[in-house]
Amino acid sequence: MLSKEQRRAFYKSRAWQSVRLLALERDNFECQACKKNGDLFIQQDEATKQKHKRLDVDHIKELEQFPELGLELENLITLCVKCHNKKHQRFIKKSNKWAHDENW
Ligand SMILES: [Zn+2]
């Protein structure tokens, strides 16, 4: 298991930055969840693509529990912010019923 600090350091590392970019390029800068649902979100112009602000690279097997897969391209998937949040919210709901209420 990785601590919060260790994960923060991981996401700042140069190794992660470069493998993250490889994952984005492999997935054509497209959200793979939207693509699967036939609701493809394509960032059309090159300038937007370069910024890829609205896309996240997610760990299929969570970094926290599978740190050894943290830099494996096979374990990475490109998600838009919307889908990434959806995945995260689902996780919160499952693990902590009250997390949502605390936001209010
Ligand atoms: Zn999406």
Side-chain angles (χ1 to χ4, degrees):
M1 282 273 252
L2 287 186
S3 71
K4 234 181 194 174
E5 276 306 309
Q6 283 173 313
R7 274 180 285 154
R8 197 172 298 161
F10 173 85
Y11 284 118
K12 275 189 196 164
S13 72
R14 219 173 272 178
W16 165 247
Q17 294 301 328
S18 61
V19 84
R20 179 183 180 277
L21 198 59
L22 285 178
L24 286 168
E25 281 169 358
R26 180 200 60 191
D27 293 341
N28 285 321
F29 293 84
E30 292 166 359
C31 170
Q32 299 303 294
C34 288
K35 196 174 180 178
K36 211 172 155 186
N37 296 332
D39 180 26
L40 184 54
F41 166 69
I42 304 172
Q43 297 191 327
Q44 303 202 337
D45 62 293
E46 280 302 312
T48 313
K49 242 186 208 180
Q50 290 309 314
K51 287 176 194 162
H52 51 80
K53 270 183 184 164
R54 301 181 61 183
L55 291 172
D56 281 335
V57 175
D58 184 47
H59 287 96
I60 297 166
K61 291 187 179 175
E62 299 294 336
L63 178 66
E64 192 176 352
Q65 278 146 46
F66 300 91
E68 71 277 13
L69 299 176
L71 294 172
E72 288 293 328
L73 257 187
E74 294 300 307
N75 189 42
L76 301 177
I77 187 167
T78 301
L79 294 177
C80 67
V81 173
K82 205 171 94 184
C83 291
H84 202 182
N85 286 344
K86 219 187 279 174
K87 183 187 169 186
H88 189 60
Q89 275 163 19
R90 241 194 332 250
F91 178 70
I92 289 171
K93 257 182 213 162
K94 218 193 286 177
S95 60
N96 184 354
K97 279 181 196 168
W98 298 279
H100 184 70
D101 292 332
E102 282 167 13
N103 292 331
W104 294 97

